[in-house]
Amino acid sequence: MIRVGGIRVPLDTDLSDLVSLCEKKLKLSRDRMISVKLAKKSVDARKKSDVHFLISLDIEAKGEEKLLRTLKNAAKHEPVYYDVPTVRNVDYRPVIVGFGPAGMFAALVLAMAGAKPIVLERGGDVDSRVKAVEEFQSGGRLDTECNVQFGEGGAGTFSDGKLTTGIKDRRIGWVFERLVEFGAPEEILYLAKPHIGTDKLRGAVKALRERVIALGGEVRFNSRFCGFEAENGRLAAVSYSCGGEIQRIETKSLILATGHSARDVFELLYNEKITLSQKNFSVGVRAEHLRTDIDRAMYGGFAGHPALKAADYKLAVHLPNGRTLYTFCMCPGGYVVAASSEEGRLAVNGMSCFARDADNSNSALLVNVGPEDYGSDHPLAGMWFQRDLEEKAFRAGGSDYRAPAAVLGDFMEGRVSTDYGRVKPSYRPAVRFAAPEEYLPDFVCESLKLGIKEMGKKIKGFDDRDTLLTGIESRSSSPVRINRGEDLQSVSLRGLFPCGEGAGYAGGIVSAAVDGMKCAEEVCREMEGAERS
C-alpha cells in the first residue's frame, strides 16, 4: 500500500468517489487501482482568498513500486496493528479507579485480555451525570461526587471531545477505531483535527462500558476510592465507599486513573507516604468571541461554506515578562461550562456538541505557573495554589457559582464592566461582572493584557473590545505528579499504577487513553509473571 499526501482539492469536491478522484488528480487508470481510502483531510486556510482541502489517500494498486517513483508525495505505507495482550493466570482481579479516558481504555484492554477488571467510579453513569450537571447549571445544587469532573467518561464527557494529540504511539489508531466502533463519527479516522462532540461522546462512553461488562468486567458507580492496604511493599487490597458503607477488594494491581480534580486522592496518597512531586500547570480565563467573527477571520470570504465547519485556532505568544500565554481546548461554536467540583470553589471549562453551531466560540487563555509561584516546596502546594484561586473566583462571582466575567475593552482599561457588547455569555447558571484582578495573580493579568494584543495581530478581531473573559480556567492539567518508574508502577508501592492526566502523565483524551492502555499492558505482564522486555 502507498500513501499519497498533499493532494489539493476544492471545498466542494465529492470525496465519496475516490477512484474517480485518483483518475483525475493522479492520472491513475481505474483498472490499476485495487482499493482507495481517505487517510487524512485538513483545511488549508493560509490564503484567505484560496481556502481548500488537503487530503492524503491510501492506495492499494498494481505496480506500486513504479508508482512510488512517479507519484509526487508518495511513500510506502504499512498499517499499524495493536495486539491486545492475553491473561491466562487470573488469580486476582485488577482494580481501576476512575472511568475517564485513561480508566476506560485500561478497563477495555484488561477486559479483552480476560483479566475481568473491576472499575470504581465515584460519580454516576452518563445519564444520571447529565441530570446532575443540568440541575447545577440551572441554579440548583452542586453534587460534589457527580459533576463535570466526576462520573462516567471523566471531564472529557463535558468537553469538545477533541482527539488531537502531540504524542506518537502505535496505540492511537486502535483508540480511534474503538471509538468509531462504539458510535463516534467515522470522520475521526481521517480528519486532521478530529473531534467527537460531547453529545456523541456520551453514547460512545456507554457503549464502551457495555463492552467491558460483556467481557466479564464490572463498573461500579457511586463508589469512591478511600484507601488501600499493603504487605511487604506490595498492594494487597483496595477500599471504597458506596452507599455509606466501606467495601474492600483484595487485589495486587490498582490502576489509579482519577483525573486532575480528585484532590482528596492526592491528600490520601500523601498521607500514606506515596511519593508525589510538584508539577507545572496553567491558569487563566475563557475567551468568547462570536463564532461568525472567528469564521471570517480564519476563512475570509469562504466563511459559511457548507463544507467548512466552525473555525478553530491555536495560538501561543512568549511575553517580555518571561511568561507564555496560549490557547487551550478551543471549542468552536460551543459553550463555557460550570466545572466546579468542590463547594465554595469555582472553575470553568469549554464544551461543544458535534455540530459546533452555537453562537459563540471559546477557548481557554492560559498562563504557565510553576513551583516558583506556589510559595512552598510541599508536593501539594500547586493544588493549594489552585484551590486558593478558585475560592477567590467563587467570591468574585458572588459566592453562588455565578462566574466572574469581564468585557475585554474594560479589562484593558482597568474598569469593571457594566454591560456586554456584541458577545453574550454562554455560561450557566449566570455570570457576574468582576475584574480578573479579583481572582487572578497580577502576573497572569499582565500576561493576558500583553498576550491578547499579540494574538490580535495573528487573528483579526481576536482582541476585539467586545470579547468576553470568564473565569477561572484552572483545571487544564494536574498540579501534582504521582511518581512512577519505567514499569509504570509507583516508586513507593508495587502494584499501584498512577495513570493518565491526574497522575501527571497525559494531556488530553487520546494521550490519557494511550496511557491507560500502557498501564493495562503492565498489569497483564504482572499477572502473567512475565519479564519486561
Side-chain angles (χ1 to χ4, degrees):
M1 182 180 292
I2 61 173
R3 176 165 290 179
V4 183
I7 303 171
R8 172 182 168 144
V9 299
L11 296 180
D12 55 4
T13 302
D14 179 7
L15 295 178
S16 65
D17 187 358
L18 295 177
V19 171
S20 295
L21 182 67
C22 287
E23 285 184 304
K24 180 180 179 181
K25 283 286 185 180
L26 305 180
K27 309 303 180 186
L28 289 179
S29 62
R30 184 175 291 265
D31 60 356
R32 190 173 185 179
M33 289 177 277
I34 300 170
S35 67
V36 185
K37 181 181 178 182
L38 183 59
K40 190 173 182 181
K41 175 185 172 185
S42 61
V43 177
D44 185 347
R46 287 172 293 181
K47 293 183 179 179
K48 302 300 180 285
S49 60
D50 181 23
V51 178
H52 55 271
F53 290 128
L54 289 176
I55 64 171
S56 298
L57 299 175
D58 285 344
I59 303 172
E60 187 180 1
K62 300 171 186 176
E64 289 183 2
E65 292 301 322
K66 183 177 180 180
L67 289 178
L68 286 171
R69 295 192 298 269
T70 58
L71 285 178
K72 185 180 179 182
N73 297 325
K76 194 168 183 62
H77 176 68
E78 294 292 341
V80 177
Y81 298 101
Y82 174 74
D83 293 322
V84 176
T86 300
V87 172
R88 295 172 295 274
N89 180 28
V90 185
D91 60 352
Y92 67 89
R93 299 180 70 179
V95 174
I96 301 165
V97 175
F99 203 51
M104 288 191 301
F105 276 87
L108 182 61
V109 169
L110 286 173
M112 294 177 70
K116 298 182 179 180
I118 299 172
V119 179
L120 305 177
E121 169 55 57
R122 72 191 299 164
D125 62 23
V126 164
D127 293 333
S128 61
R129 191 179 178 199
V130 168
K131 292 178 183 177
V133 169
E134 178 58 32
E135 179 185 349
F136 177 52
Q137 292 182 345
S138 298
R141 179 183 71 92
L142 169 66
D143 186 335
T144 57
E145 295 297 313
C146 188
N147 45 58
V148 165
Q149 305 294 347
F150 302 142
E152 184 173 25
T157 302
F158 292 90
S159 71
D160 185 64
K162 273 177 288 297
L163 301 177
T164 50
T165 179
I167 68 169
K168 296 185 183 299
D169 192 282
R170 61 186 174 85
R171 300 168 183 84
I172 293 174
W174 193 84
V175 170
F176 280 49
E177 289 167 1
R178 298 291 74 72
L179 288 171
V180 171
E181 179 185 355
F182 297 135
E186 190 173 359
E187 66 179 29
I188 69 172
L189 297 176
Y190 57 80
L191 288 182
K193 297 179 180 180
H195 84 107
I196 301 177
T198 188
D199 49 340
K200 294 187 179 293
L201 185 59
R202 293 169 188 171
V205 165
K206 287 198 285 186
L208 189 154
R209 180 232 304 168
E210 290 165 359
R211 178 65 57 82
V212 169
I213 294 171
L215 291 169
E218 291 183 48
V219 181
R220 302 179 184 178
F221 293 112
N222 306 305
S223 299
R224 182 170 58 84
F225 169 67
C226 60
F228 62 87
E229 300 169 27
E231 294 178 2
N232 301 318
R234 173 87 201 194
L235 182 76
V238 169
S239 58
Y240 68 97
S241 173
C242 181
E245 295 185 0
I246 303 298
Q247 308 286 338
R248 181 177 179 273
I249 304 172
E250 291 187 0
T251 185
K252 296 179 182 178
S253 296
L254 166 62
I255 295 178
L256 195 62
T258 51
H260 53 44
S261 294
R263 292 164 173 167
D264 57 327
V265 174
F266 293 140
E267 292 171 331
L268 184 157
L269 295 176
Y270 177 78
N271 292 334
E272 293 290 343
K273 297 183 170 45
I274 299 297
T275 302
L276 310 174
S277 58
Q278 295 182 346
K279 179 179 161 294
N280 294 340
F281 70 109
S282 301
V283 297
V285 295
R286 278 267 154 188
E288 289 193 89
H289 301 86
L290 290 178
R291 173 173 53 85
T292 51
D293 286 355
I294 294 297
D295 287 354
R296 279 194 297 271
M298 301 304 292
Y299 296 146
F302 289 86
H305 191 287
L308 292 173
K309 296 187 177 184
D312 63 4
Y313 56 77
K314 185 176 181 180
L315 297 171
V317 290
H318 303 291
L319 304 171
N321 62 5
R323 303 283 175 171
T324 297
L325 179 70
Y326 66 99
T327 63
F328 175 78
C329 187
M330 195 269 160
C331 297
Y335 310 89
V336 177
V337 297
S340 299
S341 58
E342 297 175 332
E343 291 182 357
R345 300 185 178 108
L346 188 136
V348 302
N349 196 6
M351 182 186 87
S352 57
C353 294
F354 178 71
R356 287 178 162 176
D357 57 359
D359 291 341
N360 295 350
S361 289
N362 73 81
S363 175
L365 286 177
L366 298 177
V367 178
N368 58 300
V369 297
E372 67 277 6
D373 301 307
Y374 302 158
S376 168
D377 59 2
H378 192 285
L380 301 183
M383 184 187 80
W384 298 336
F385 178 86
Q386 192 181 49
R387 270 181 165 168
D388 178 64
L389 297 184
E390 291 177 7
E391 289 170 3
K392 290 177 179 177
F394 179 72
R395 292 193 295 270
S399 299
D400 55 6
Y401 297 105
R402 284 179 294 168
V407 175
L408 178 61
D410 297 322
F411 171 54
M412 289 292 196
E413 295 165 11
R415 295 190 303 269
V416 176
S417 301
T418 58
D419 199 5
Y420 308 110
R422 295 184 304 125
V423 183
K424 305 301 186 292
S426 61
Y427 176 93
R428 297 167 57 218
V431 301
R432 175 180 182 267
F433 285 127
E437 287 86 352
E438 290 187 40
Y439 58 91
L440 288 171
D442 290 343
F443 70 84
V444 174
C445 293
E446 177 190 49
S447 299
L448 286 169
K449 291 179 178 179
L450 293 172
I452 291 172
K453 287 181 180 178
E454 293 302 310
M455 289 178 174
K457 297 175 183 177
K458 299 184 178 187
I459 296 179
K460 183 179 180 180
F462 193 87
D463 58 347
D464 186 278
R465 65 174 295 107
D466 286 346
T467 302
L468 191 64
L469 307 178
T470 306
I472 181 174
E473 172 80 44
S474 55
R475 308 283 183 94
S476 61
S477 63
S478 177
V480 179
R481 176 169 283 116
I482 307 171
N483 296 44
R484 70 185 188 188
E486 291 185 5
D487 60 1
L488 309 190
Q489 299 186 56
S490 164
V491 297
S492 307
L493 180 65
R494 290 201 60 76
L496 173 61
F497 294 82
C499 181
E501 198 164 335
Y505 298 99
I509 290 175
V510 176
S511 59
V514 166
D515 199 55
M517 293 172 67
K518 290 179 178 179
C519 287
E521 292 160 16
E522 291 293 333
V523 168
C524 290
R525 189 175 287 114
E526 285 271 308
M527 294 179 75
E528 289 292 283
E531 295 293 328
R532 298 187 79 251
S533 58

